[in-house]
Coordinates of all heavy atoms in Angstrom, one line a residue:
M1 N -5.9 18.9 -9.2 CA -4.8 18.9 -10.2 C -3.6 18.0 -9.7 O -3.3 18.1 -8.5 CB -4.2 20.3 -10.3 CG -3.2 20.4 -11.4 SD -2.6 22.2 -11.7 CE -1.4 22.4 -10.7
A2 N -3.1 17.2 -10.6 CA -2.1 16.3 -10.1 C -0.8 16.9 -10.0 O -0.4 17.9 -10.8 CB -1.9 15.0 -11.2
L3 N 0.1 16.5 -9.1 CA 1.5 16.9 -9.0 C 2.4 15.8 -9.5 O 2.7 14.8 -8.7 CB 1.8 17.3 -7.6 CG 3.3 17.7 -7.3 CD1 3.8 18.8 -8.2 CD2 3.6 18.0 -5.9
R4 N 2.7 15.8 -10.8 CA 3.6 14.7 -11.4 C 4.9 15.0 -11.3 O 5.4 16.2 -11.8 CB 2.9 14.4 -12.7 CG 3.7 13.1 -13.4 CD 2.9 12.8 -14.7 NE 1.7 12.2 -14.3 CZ 0.8 11.9 -15.2 NH1 1.1 11.9 -16.5 NH2 -0.3 11.3 -14.8
V5 N 5.8 14.2 -10.8 CA 7.3 14.4 -10.6 C 7.9 13.3 -11.3 O 7.6 12.1 -11.1 CB 7.7 14.7 -9.2 CG1 7.1 15.9 -8.7 CG2 7.3 13.5 -8.4
R6 N 9.2 13.6 -11.8 CA 10.0 12.5 -12.4 C 10.9 12.0 -11.2 O 11.4 12.8 -10.4 CB 11.0 13.0 -13.3 CG 12.0 12.1 -13.9 CD 13.2 12.7 -14.5 NE 14.1 11.7 -15.1 CZ 15.0 11.2 -14.2 NH1 15.1 11.4 -12.9 NH2 15.8 10.1 -14.7
V7 N 10.8 10.7 -10.9 CA 11.5 10.0 -9.7 C 12.8 9.4 -10.1 O 13.8 9.6 -9.4 CB 10.5 9.0 -9.1 CG1 11.2 8.3 -8.0 CG2 9.3 9.8 -8.6
C8 N 12.9 8.7 -11.2 CA 14.1 7.9 -11.5 C 14.0 7.3 -12.9 O 13.0 7.6 -13.6 CB 14.3 6.7 -10.5 SG 12.9 5.6 -10.6
R9 N 15.1 6.7 -13.3 CA 15.0 6.0 -14.6 C 14.5 4.4 -14.3 O 14.6 3.9 -13.3 CB 16.3 5.8 -15.3 CG 17.0 7.2 -15.7 CD 18.4 7.2 -16.3 NE 19.2 6.4 -15.4 CZ 19.9 5.3 -15.9 NH1 19.8 4.8 -17.1 NH2 20.7 4.6 -15.0
L10 N 13.9 4.0 -15.2 CA 13.4 2.6 -15.2 C 14.5 1.6 -14.8 O 14.4 0.7 -14.0 CB 12.6 2.1 -16.4 CG 11.7 1.0 -16.3 CD1 10.6 1.2 -15.2 CD2 10.9 0.8 -17.7
A11 N 15.6 2.0 -15.5 CA 16.8 1.1 -15.2 C 17.4 1.1 -13.8 O 18.1 0.3 -13.3 CB 17.8 1.5 -16.1
D12 N 16.9 2.2 -13.0 CA 17.4 2.3 -11.6 C 16.6 1.5 -10.7 O 17.0 1.3 -9.5 CB 17.2 3.8 -11.1 CG 18.0 4.7 -11.9 OD1 19.2 4.4 -12.3 OD2 17.7 6.0 -12.0
V13 N 15.5 0.9 -11.1 CA 14.6 0.0 -10.4 C 15.0 -1.4 -10.4 O 15.0 -1.9 -11.4 CB 13.1 0.2 -10.8 CG1 12.2 -0.4 -9.9 CG2 12.8 1.7 -10.9
V14 N 15.4 -2.0 -9.2 CA 15.9 -3.3 -9.1 C 14.8 -4.3 -8.5 O 14.6 -3.9 -7.3 CB 17.2 -3.3 -8.6 CG1 17.7 -4.7 -8.5 CG2 18.3 -2.5 -9.2
P15 N 14.4 -5.2 -9.1 CA 13.4 -6.2 -8.5 C 14.0 -6.7 -7.1 O 15.2 -7.0 -7.1 CB 13.3 -7.3 -9.5 CG 13.5 -6.7 -10.8 CD 14.6 -5.7 -10.5
G16 N 13.3 -6.7 -6.1 CA 13.7 -7.2 -4.7 C 14.4 -6.3 -3.9 O 14.8 -6.5 -2.8
E17 N 14.7 -5.1 -4.3 CA 15.3 -4.0 -3.7 C 14.4 -2.9 -3.4 O 13.4 -2.6 -4.1 CB 16.6 -3.4 -4.4 CG 17.7 -4.4 -4.5 CD 18.9 -3.8 -5.0 OE1 19.0 -2.5 -5.2 OE2 19.8 -4.6 -5.3
L18 N 14.7 -2.1 -2.3 CA 13.9 -0.9 -1.8 C 14.7 0.1 -2.1 O 15.4 0.6 -1.1 CB 13.4 -1.1 -0.3 CG 12.4 -2.2 0.0 CD1 12.2 -2.2 1.5 CD2 11.0 -1.7 -0.7
R19 N 14.7 0.9 -3.1 CA 15.5 2.1 -3.4 C 14.6 3.3 -3.2 O 13.5 3.4 -3.9 CB 16.0 1.9 -4.9 CG 17.0 0.9 -4.9 CD 17.9 1.1 -6.3 NE 18.9 0.1 -6.4 CZ 19.7 0.0 -7.4 NH1 19.5 0.8 -8.4 NH2 20.7 -0.9 -7.5
A20 N 15.1 4.2 -2.4 CA 14.4 5.4 -2.2 C 15.1 6.5 -3.0 O 16.3 6.8 -3.1 CB 14.5 5.7 -0.8
F21 N 14.3 7.3 -3.7 CA 14.6 8.4 -4.6 C 14.2 9.7 -4.1 O 13.0 9.9 -3.9 CB 14.2 8.1 -6.0 CG 14.6 6.8 -6.7 CD1 13.8 5.7 -6.6 CD2 15.9 6.7 -7.3 CE1 14.2 4.5 -7.1 CE2 16.2 5.4 -7.8 CZ 15.3 4.4 -7.7
A22 N 15.3 10.6 -4.0 CA 15.0 11.9 -3.5 C 14.2 12.6 -4.6 O 14.4 12.5 -5.8 CB 16.2 12.7 -3.2
V23 N 13.3 13.4 -4.3 CA 12.4 14.3 -5.1 C 12.6 15.7 -4.7 O 12.3 16.1 -3.5 CB 10.9 13.9 -5.1 CG1 10.1 14.8 -6.0 CG2 10.7 12.4 -5.6
S24 N 13.0 16.6 -5.7 CA 13.3 18.0 -5.4 C 12.0 18.6 -4.9 O 11.0 18.5 -5.5 CB 13.8 18.7 -6.6 OG 13.9 19.9 -6.5
G25 N 12.1 19.4 -3.8 CA 11.0 20.1 -3.3 C 10.1 19.2 -2.3 O 9.1 19.9 -1.8
V26 N 10.4 17.9 -2.3 CA 9.6 17.1 -1.3 C 10.3 16.5 -0.2 O 11.5 16.2 -0.3 CB 9.0 16.0 -2.3 CG1 8.1 15.0 -1.4 CG2 8.2 16.5 -3.3
T27 N 9.8 16.7 0.9 CA 10.5 16.2 2.3 C 11.0 14.7 2.2 O 12.0 14.5 2.6 CB 9.6 16.5 3.5 OG1 9.2 17.8 3.4 CG2 10.3 16.4 4.7
W28 N 10.0 13.9 1.8 CA 10.3 12.5 1.8 C 10.7 12.0 0.6 O 10.2 12.4 -0.5 CB 9.0 11.8 2.3 CG 7.8 12.0 1.4 CD1 7.5 11.1 0.5 CD2 6.8 12.9 1.4 NE1 6.4 11.6 -0.2 CE2 6.1 12.8 0.4 CE3 6.7 14.2 2.1 CZ2 5.0 13.6 0.1 CZ3 5.7 14.9 1.8 CH2 4.8 14.7 0.7
P29 N 11.5 10.9 0.5 CA 11.8 10.2 -0.8 C 10.7 9.3 -1.2 O 9.7 9.1 -0.6 CB 13.0 9.4 -0.4 CG 12.8 9.1 1.1 CD 12.2 10.2 1.6
V30 N 10.7 8.8 -2.5 CA 9.9 8.0 -3.1 C 10.6 6.5 -3.4 O 11.6 6.5 -3.9 CB 9.3 8.5 -4.4 CG1 8.3 7.5 -5.0 CG2 8.4 9.7 -4.1
I31 N 9.9 5.6 -2.9 CA 10.5 4.2 -3.1 C 9.8 3.6 -4.4 O 8.5 3.7 -4.5 CB 10.2 3.2 -2.0 CG1 11.0 3.6 -0.8 CG2 10.5 1.7 -2.3 CD1 10.8 2.8 0.5
V32 N 10.6 3.1 -5.3 CA 10.0 2.5 -6.5 C 10.7 1.1 -6.6 O 11.9 0.9 -6.5 CB 10.5 3.4 -7.8 CG1 9.7 2.6 -9.0 CG2 10.0 4.7 -7.7
T33 N 9.8 0.2 -6.7 CA 10.2 -1.2 -6.7 C 9.1 -2.0 -7.5 O 8.2 -1.4 -8.2 CB 10.4 -1.7 -5.3 OG1 11.1 -3.0 -5.4 CG2 9.1 -1.8 -4.5
Y34 N 9.4 -3.3 -7.5 CA 8.3 -4.2 -8.2 C 7.7 -5.1 -7.1 O 8.3 -5.5 -6.1 CB 9.1 -5.1 -9.1 CG 9.6 -4.5 -10.3 CD1 11.0 -4.0 -10.5 CD2 8.7 -4.4 -11.5 CE1 11.4 -3.4 -11.5 CE2 9.1 -3.7 -12.5 CZ 10.4 -3.2 -12.7 OH 10.9 -2.5 -13.8
A35 N 6.4 -5.3 -7.2 CA 5.6 -6.2 -6.5 C 5.3 -7.2 -7.6 O 4.4 -7.1 -8.3 CB 4.4 -5.5 -5.9
E36 N 5.9 -8.4 -7.3 CA 5.8 -9.4 -8.4 C 6.3 -8.7 -9.7 O 7.5 -8.2 -9.8 CB 4.4 -10.2 -8.6 CG 4.2 -10.9 -7.4 CD 2.7 -11.4 -7.3 OE1 1.8 -10.9 -8.1 OE2 2.5 -12.4 -6.6
H37 N 5.5 -8.5 -10.7 CA 5.9 -7.9 -12.0 C 5.3 -6.5 -12.2 O 5.6 -5.8 -13.1 CB 5.7 -8.7 -13.2 CG 6.3 -10.2 -13.1 ND1 7.5 -10.4 -13.3 CD2 5.7 -11.2 -12.9 CE1 7.9 -11.6 -13.1 NE2 6.6 -12.3 -12.9
E38 N 4.7 -6.0 -11.1 CA 4.0 -4.7 -11.2 C 5.0 -3.7 -10.7 O 5.5 -3.9 -9.4 CB 2.7 -4.8 -10.4 CG 2.1 -3.4 -10.4 CD 0.8 -3.4 -9.4 OE1 0.7 -4.3 -8.6 OE2 0.3 -2.2 -9.4
L39 N 5.3 -2.6 -11.4 CA 6.0 -1.5 -10.9 C 5.2 -0.7 -9.9 O 4.0 -0.3 -10.1 CB 6.3 -0.7 -12.1 CG 7.3 0.6 -11.9 CD1 8.8 0.0 -11.5 CD2 7.4 1.5 -13.1
V40 N 5.7 -0.5 -8.6 CA 4.9 0.2 -7.7 C 5.8 1.4 -7.1 O 7.0 1.3 -7.1 CB 4.5 -0.6 -6.5 CG1 3.5 -1.7 -7.0 CG2 5.7 -1.3 -5.8
A41 N 5.2 2.4 -6.7 CA 5.8 3.6 -6.1 C 5.0 4.1 -4.8 O 3.8 4.0 -4.8 CB 5.8 4.8 -7.0
V42 N 5.8 4.1 -3.7 CA 5.2 4.3 -2.4 C 6.1 5.5 -1.7 O 7.2 5.8 -2.0 CB 5.0 3.1 -1.6 CG1 4.1 2.1 -2.2 CG2 6.4 2.6 -1.2
P43 N 5.5 6.1 -0.7 CA 6.3 7.0 0.1 C 7.4 6.2 0.9 O 7.3 5.1 1.1 CB 5.3 7.5 1.2 CG 3.9 7.3 0.6 CD 3.9 6.0 -0.2
G44 N 8.6 7.0 1.0 CA 9.7 6.5 1.5 C 9.7 6.4 3.1 O 10.6 6.1 3.8
V45 N 8.6 6.9 3.7 CA 8.5 6.8 5.2 C 7.3 6.0 5.7 O 6.1 6.0 5.0 CB 8.4 8.3 5.7 CG1 9.6 9.0 5.5 CG2 7.1 9.0 5.2
C46 N 7.4 5.4 6.7 CA 6.3 4.5 7.2 C 5.1 5.3 7.8 O 5.4 6.3 8.5 CB 6.9 3.7 8.4 SG 5.8 2.5 9.1
P47 N 3.9 5.0 7.5 CA 2.8 5.8 8.0 C 2.5 5.4 9.6 O 1.7 6.1 10.1 CB 1.5 5.1 7.2 CG 2.0 3.8 6.7 CD 3.5 3.9 6.6
H48 N 3.3 4.5 10.1 CA 3.2 4.2 11.5 C 4.0 5.3 12.3 O 3.3 6.2 13.0 CB 3.7 2.8 11.8 CG 3.6 2.6 13.2 ND1 4.7 1.9 14.0 CD2 2.5 2.7 14.1 CE1 4.2 1.8 15.3 NE2 3.1 2.2 15.5
E49 N 5.3 5.4 12.1 CA 6.0 6.5 12.9 C 7.1 7.1 12.1 O 8.1 7.3 12.7 CB 6.6 5.8 14.2 CG 5.4 5.5 15.3 CD 6.1 5.2 16.5 OE1 7.3 5.1 16.8 OE2 5.3 4.8 17.5
D50 N 7.0 7.3 10.8 CA 7.9 8.0 10.0 C 9.3 7.5 9.9 O 10.3 8.2 9.7 CB 8.0 9.4 10.4 CG 6.8 10.3 10.2 OD1 5.7 9.7 9.4 OD2 6.6 11.4 10.8
V51 N 9.5 6.2 10.0 CA 10.7 5.5 9.8 C 11.0 5.4 8.4 O 10.1 5.0 7.6 CB 10.7 4.1 10.6 CG1 12.1 3.4 10.2 CG2 10.7 4.3 12.1
P52 N 12.2 5.6 7.9 CA 12.5 5.4 6.5 C 12.3 3.9 6.1 O 12.8 3.0 6.7 CB 14.1 5.7 6.4 CG 14.3 6.6 7.5 CD 13.4 6.1 8.6
L53 N 11.5 3.7 5.1 CA 11.1 2.3 4.7 C 12.1 1.8 3.9 O 12.2 0.5 3.7 CB 9.7 2.3 3.8 CG 8.4 2.6 4.7 CD1 7.3 2.8 3.9 CD2 8.2 1.5 5.6
A54 N 13.1 2.4 3.3 CA 14.1 1.8 2.5 C 15.0 1.0 3.5 O 15.9 0.2 3.0 CB 14.9 2.8 1.9
D55 N 14.9 1.3 4.9 CA 15.6 0.5 5.8 C 14.9 -0.8 6.2 O 15.6 -1.6 6.8 CB 16.0 1.3 7.2 CG 16.7 2.5 6.8 OD1 17.5 2.6 5.9 OD2 16.7 3.4 7.8
G56 N 13.8 -1.1 5.6 CA 13.2 -2.3 5.8 C 13.6 -3.4 4.8 O 14.6 -3.3 4.2
H57 N 12.7 -4.3 4.6 CA 13.1 -5.3 3.4 C 11.7 -5.8 2.8 O 10.6 -5.6 3.3 CB 13.9 -6.5 4.1 CG 13.0 -7.3 5.1 ND1 12.8 -7.0 6.5 CD2 12.2 -8.4 4.9 CE1 12.1 -7.9 6.9 NE2 11.8 -8.8 6.0
L58 N 11.8 -6.5 1.7 CA 10.7 -7.1 1.0 C 10.7 -8.5 1.4 O 11.7 -9.2 1.5 CB 10.9 -6.9 -0.5 CG 10.7 -5.6 -1.2 CD1 11.2 -5.5 -2.6 CD2 9.2 -5.1 -1.0
D59 N 9.4 -9.0 1.6 CA 9.1 -10.4 1.7 C 8.0 -10.7 0.7 O 6.9 -10.5 1.0 CB 8.6 -10.7 3.2 CG 8.3 -12.2 3.4 OD1 8.4 -12.9 2.6 OD2 7.9 -12.4 4.6
G60 N 8.5 -11.2 -0.4 CA 7.4 -11.3 -1.5 C 6.9 -9.9 -2.0 O 7.7 -9.1 -2.2
T61 N 5.6 -9.7 -1.9 CA 5.1 -8.5 -2.2 C 4.8 -7.6 -0.9 O 4.1 -6.5 -1.0 CB 3.7 -8.6 -3.0 OG1 2.7 -9.3 -2.2 CG2 3.8 -9.4 -4.3
E62 N 5.3 -8.1 0.2 CA 5.1 -7.2 1.4 C 6.3 -6.5 1.8 O 7.6 -7.1 1.8 CB 4.8 -8.2 2.6 CG 4.4 -7.5 3.9 CD 3.9 -8.5 4.9 OE1 2.7 -8.7 5.0 OE2 4.8 -8.9 5.7
L63 N 6.1 -5.2 1.9 CA 7.4 -4.4 2.5 C 7.2 -4.5 4.0 O 6.2 -4.0 4.5 CB 7.2 -2.9 1.9 CG 8.3 -2.0 2.2 CD1 8.0 -0.7 1.3 CD2 8.5 -1.6 3.6
V64 N 8.3 -4.9 4.6 CA 8.4 -5.1 6.1 C 9.3 -3.8 6.7 O 10.3 -3.7 6.3 CB 9.0 -6.3 6.4 CG1 9.0 -6.4 8.0 CG2 8.3 -7.6 6.0
C65 N 8.6 -3.1 7.4 CA 9.2 -1.8 8.0 C 10.2 -2.2 9.0 O 9.9 -3.1 9.8 CB 8.2 -0.9 8.6 SG 8.9 0.5 9.4
G66 N 11.4 -1.5 8.9 CA 12.4 -1.9 9.8 C 12.3 -1.3 11.3 O 12.9 -1.6 12.3
G67 N 11.2 -0.4 11.5 CA 10.9 0.3 12.6 C 10.2 -0.7 13.7 O 11.0 -1.1 14.8
H68 N 9.2 -1.3 13.2 CA 8.6 -2.1 14.3 C 8.0 -3.4 13.6 O 7.3 -4.3 14.2 CB 7.3 -1.4 14.9 CG 7.6 -0.2 15.6 ND1 7.5 1.1 15.0 CD2 8.2 0.1 16.9 CE1 7.9 1.9 15.8 NE2 8.4 1.4 17.0
G69 N 8.4 -3.6 12.4 CA 8.2 -5.0 11.7 C 6.9 -5.1 11.0 O 6.4 -6.1 10.7
Y70 N 6.0 -3.9 11.0 CA 4.7 -4.1 10.4 C 5.0 -4.3 8.8 O 6.0 -3.6 8.3 CB 4.0 -2.7 10.4 CG 3.5 -2.4 11.9 CD1 3.9 -3.0 13.0 CD2 2.5 -1.4 12.1 CE1 3.4 -2.8 14.2 CE2 2.0 -1.0 13.2 CZ 2.5 -1.7 14.4 OH 2.0 -1.4 15.6
G71 N 4.0 -5.1 8.2 CA 4.2 -5.4 6.9 C 3.1 -4.5 6.1 O 2.0 -4.3 6.6
F72 N 3.5 -4.1 4.8 CA 2.6 -3.5 4.0 C 2.5 -4.2 2.7 O 3.6 -4.4 2.0 CB 3.1 -2.0 3.7 CG 2.9 -1.2 5.0 CD1 4.1 -1.2 5.9 CD2 1.8 -0.5 5.5 CE1 4.0 -0.5 7.2 CE2 1.8 0.2 6.7 CZ 2.8 0.2 7.5
D73 N 1.4 -4.6 2.3 CA 1.1 -5.2 1.0 C 1.2 -4.2 -0.2 O 0.4 -3.3 -0.4 CB -0.2 -5.9 1.0 CG -0.4 -6.7 -0.3 OD1 0.3 -6.6 -1.2 OD2 -1.5 -7.5 -0.4
L74 N 2.3 -4.4 -0.9 CA 2.6 -3.3 -2.0 C 1.6 -3.5 -3.1 O 1.5 -2.6 -3.9 CB 4.0 -3.5 -2.6 CG 5.1 -3.1 -1.7 CD1 6.4 -3.5 -2.3 CD2 5.1 -1.8 -1.4
K75 N 0.8 -4.6 -3.2 CA -0.3 -4.4 -4.2 C -1.4 -3.9 -3.8 O -2.3 -3.4 -4.6 CB -0.7 -6.1 -4.4 CG 0.3 -7.0 -4.9 CD 0.3 -6.8 -6.4 CE 0.8 -8.1 -7.1 NZ 0.8 -7.7 -8.6
T76 N -1.7 -3.5 -2.6 CA -2.9 -2.8 -2.2 C -2.5 -1.6 -1.1 O -3.4 -0.7 -1.0 CB -3.9 -3.7 -1.3 OG1 -3.2 -4.2 0.0 CG2 -4.3 -4.9 -2.2
G77 N -1.4 -1.6 -0.5 CA -1.0 -0.7 0.4 C -1.5 -1.0 1.8 O -1.2 -0.2 2.9
T78 N -2.3 -2.0 2.0 CA -2.9 -2.3 3.3 C -1.8 -2.9 4.3 O -0.8 -3.6 3.8 CB -4.0 -3.4 3.2 OG1 -3.7 -4.6 2.5 CG2 -5.3 -2.8 2.5
C79 N -2.1 -2.5 5.6 CA -0.9 -3.0 6.6 C -1.5 -4.3 7.1 O -2.7 -4.4 7.5 CB -0.8 -2.0 7.7 SG 0.3 -2.5 9.0
T80 N -0.5 -5.2 7.2 CA -1.0 -6.7 7.6 C -1.1 -6.7 9.3 O -1.6 -7.6 9.7 CB -0.2 -7.6 7.2 OG1 1.3 -7.4 7.5 CG2 -0.2 -7.7 5.7
H81 N -0.6 -5.6 9.8 CA -0.5 -5.6 11.4 C -1.7 -4.7 11.9 O -2.0 -4.9 13.0 CB 0.8 -5.2 11.9 CG 1.9 -6.3 11.6 ND1 2.4 -6.5 10.3 CD2 2.4 -7.1 12.5 CE1 3.3 -7.4 10.5 NE2 3.3 -7.9 11.8
D82 N -1.9 -3.7 11.3 CA -2.9 -2.7 11.7 C -3.8 -2.1 10.5 O -3.2 -1.4 9.6 CB -2.2 -1.5 12.3 CG -3.1 -0.5 12.9 OD1 -4.3 -0.4 12.5 OD2 -2.6 0.4 13.7
K83 N -5.0 -2.6 10.5 CA -5.8 -2.3 9.3 C -6.0 -0.8 9.0 O -6.5 -0.3 8.0 CB -7.2 -3.0 9.3 CG -6.9 -4.5 9.3 CD -6.4 -5.0 8.0 CE -6.2 -6.5 8.0 NZ -5.2 -7.0 7.1
A84 N -5.8 0.0 10.1 CA -6.1 1.4 10.1 C -4.9 2.2 9.4 O -5.1 3.3 8.8 CB -6.2 2.0 11.4
L85 N -3.8 1.4 9.1 CA -2.7 2.1 8.5 C -2.7 1.7 7.1 O -2.8 0.5 6.7 CB -1.4 1.6 9.0 CG -1.1 2.2 10.5 CD1 0.3 1.6 10.9 CD2 -1.0 3.7 10.6
V86 N -2.4 2.6 6.1 CA -2.3 2.3 4.7 C -1.2 3.1 4.1 O -0.9 4.2 4.4 CB -3.7 2.9 4.0 CG1 -3.5 2.7 2.5 CG2 -4.9 2.1 4.4
L87 N -0.4 2.2 3.4 CA 0.8 2.8 2.6 C 0.3 3.3 1.3 O -0.2 2.4 0.5 CB 1.8 1.7 2.5 CG 3.1 2.3 1.9 CD1 4.0 3.3 2.7 CD2 4.0 1.2 1.6
R88 N 0.3 4.6 1.0 CA -0.2 5.1 -0.2 C 0.6 4.5 -1.4 O 1.7 4.5 -1.3 CB -0.2 6.6 -0.2 CG -0.8 7.1 -1.4 CD -1.3 8.6 -1.3 NE -1.7 9.2 -2.5 CZ -1.3 10.2 -3.1 NH1 -0.5 10.9 -2.5 NH2 -1.7 10.6 -4.3
R89 N -0.2 4.2 -2.4 CA 0.5 3.8 -3.8 C 0.4 5.0 -4.7 O -0.9 5.3 -5.0 CB -0.2 2.5 -4.3 CG 0.1 1.2 -3.5 CD -0.8 0.2 -3.8 NE -1.2 0.2 -5.3 CZ -0.7 -0.7 -6.2 NH1 0.2 -1.6 -5.9 NH2 -1.2 -0.7 -7.5
Y90 N 1.3 5.3 -5.3 CA 1.3 6.5 -6.1 C 1.0 6.0 -7.5 O 1.6 5.1 -8.0 CB 2.7 7.3 -6.2 CG 3.0 8.0 -4.9 CD1 4.3 7.8 -4.4 CD2 2.2 8.9 -4.3 CE1 4.7 8.4 -3.2 CE2 2.6 9.5 -3.2 CZ 3.9 9.3 -2.6 OH 4.3 9.9 -1.3
P91 N 0.1 6.8 -8.4 CA 0.0 6.4 -9.7 C 1.3 6.7 -10.5 O 2.0 7.6 -10.2 CB -1.1 7.3 -10.2 CG -1.9 7.7 -8.9 CD -0.8 7.7 -7.9
I92 N 1.6 5.7 -11.3 CA 2.9 5.7 -12.1 C 2.7 6.1 -13.6 O 1.6 5.4 -14.0 CB 3.7 4.4 -11.9 CG1 4.1 4.3 -10.5 CG2 4.9 4.5 -12.8 CD1 4.8 3.0 -10.2
T93 N 3.4 6.7 -14.1 CA 3.4 6.8 -15.6 C 4.9 6.6 -16.0 O 5.9 7.3 -15.6 CB 2.9 8.3 -16.0 OG1 1.6 8.6 -15.5 CG2 2.9 8.4 -17.6
V94 N 5.2 5.8 -17.0 CA 6.4 5.5 -17.5 C 6.5 6.2 -18.9 O 5.7 5.9 -19.9 CB 6.8 4.0 -17.7 CG1 8.1 3.8 -18.4 CG2 6.8 3.3 -16.3
V95 N 7.4 7.2 -19.0 CA 7.7 7.8 -20.2 C 9.1 7.5 -20.9 O 10.0 7.9 -20.1 CB 7.5 9.4 -20.1 CG1 7.7 10.1 -21.5 CG2 6.2 9.7 -19.5
G96 N 9.1 6.6 -21.7 CA 10.5 6.3 -22.3 C 11.0 5.4 -21.2 O 10.6 4.4 -20.7
D97 N 12.2 5.9 -20.7 CA 13.0 5.2 -19.6 C 12.7 5.9 -18.3 O 13.4 5.7 -17.4 CB 14.5 5.2 -20.0 CG 15.3 4.4 -18.9 OD1 14.7 3.4 -18.3 OD2 16.3 4.8 -18.4
E98 N 11.8 6.9 -18.3 CA 11.6 7.7 -17.0 C 10.4 7.3 -16.3 O 9.4 7.0 -16.8 CB 11.6 9.1 -17.3 CG 12.9 9.6 -17.9 CD 12.9 11.1 -18.1 OE1 11.8 11.7 -18.3 OE2 13.9 11.8 -18.0
V99 N 10.6 7.2 -14.9 CA 9.4 6.9 -14.0 C 9.0 8.2 -13.4 O 9.6 8.8 -12.7 CB 9.8 5.9 -12.9 CG1 8.7 5.7 -12.0 CG2 10.4 4.6 -13.6
W100 N 7.8 8.5 -13.6 CA 7.0 9.8 -13.1 C 5.9 9.2 -12.1 O 5.1 8.3 -12.5 CB 6.4 10.5 -14.2 CG 7.3 11.2 -15.2 CD1 8.2 10.6 -16.0 CD2 7.7 12.6 -15.1 NE1 9.1 11.4 -16.6 CE2 8.7 12.7 -16.3 CE3 7.3 13.5 -14.5 CZ2 9.2 14.0 -16.5 CZ3 7.8 14.9 -14.7 CH2 8.9 14.9 -15.8
V101 N 5.7 9.9 -11.1 CA 4.6 9.6 -10.1 C 3.7 10.7 -9.9 O 4.3 11.9 -9.9 CB 5.0 8.9 -8.8 CG1 6.0 7.6 -9.1 CG2 5.9 9.9 -8.0
D102 N 2.4 10.5 -9.6 CA 1.6 11.5 -9.2 C 1.7 11.7 -7.6 O 0.9 10.7 -7.0 CB 0.2 11.3 -9.6 CG 0.2 11.5 -11.1 OD1 1.0 11.9 -11.8 OD2 -1.0 10.9 -11.8
L103 N 2.2 12.6 -7.1 CA 2.3 12.7 -5.5 C 0.9 13.3 -5.0 O 0.5 13.0 -4.0 CB 3.4 13.7 -5.2 CG 4.7 13.2 -5.5 CD1 5.8 14.3 -5.0 CD2 5.0 11.8 -4.9
L104 N 0.1 13.9 -5.8 CA -1.1 14.5 -5.3 C -2.2 14.1 -6.4 O -1.9 13.9 -7.6 CB -1.1 16.0 -5.3 CG -0.3 16.6 -4.1 CD1 -0.3 18.0 -4.3 CD2 -0.6 16.0 -2.8
Ligands
FES201 S1 7.6 2.9 12.1 FE1 7.1 1.4 10.6 S2 6.2 -0.2 11.7 FE2 6.5 1.4 13.2

């Protein structure tokens, strides 16, 4: 069974920015941004050592963590520095102006 939650409004998502949105009842925020023209949603914490990913930056479609500089391809979730690490991509549903993601 999916756990679908409302994360933000579509208008809150700014291309080129890493905005983390708090989700009620969930420990970590969700980052919603664009990879090229694709809307993507990922966990707000790094799979390497739990550093907030919103403190990192975007380099094209790569999210670069501010912790140790590892890059994550937002198109696939793969880490460009350690193939064992994967940044989960949440399935997204846009309903009107609302962005919903499936956390489970
Ligand atoms: S905590 Fe993100 S790269 Fe180490």
Side-chain angles (χ1 to χ4, degrees):
M1 186 172 91
L3 174 59
R4 184 167 290 174
V5 296
R6 181 197 177 279
V7 175
C8 62
R9 295 179 308 126
L10 200 52
D12 296 329
V13 185
V14 178
E17 290 190 10
L18 291 173
R19 290 193 175 178
F21 300 95
V23 176
S24 178
V26 179
T27 306
W28 63 93
V30 173
I31 289 176
V32 185
T33 188
Y34 289 94
E36 294 177 335
H37 301 293
E38 179 190 3
L39 190 65
V40 294
V42 298
V45 293
C46 183
H48 181 226
E49 288 188 2
D50 293 344
V51 167
L53 285 172
D55 294 343
H57 67 275
L58 285 172
D59 182 4
T61 63
E62 187 173 273
L63 189 166
V64 180
C65 177
H68 304 95
Y70 287 15
F72 296 89
D73 183 350
L74 289 175
K75 292 285 209 178
T76 62
T78 57
C79 178
T80 54
H81 290 75
D82 181 346
K83 298 298 181 202
L85 295 177
V86 175
L87 184 63
R88 183 159 177 232
R89 287 167 34 104
Y90 297 126
I92 297 176
T93 303
V94 176
V95 181
D97 184 40
E98 296 187 329
V99 178
W100 292 71
V101 302
D102 293 347
L103 295 180
L104 297 176

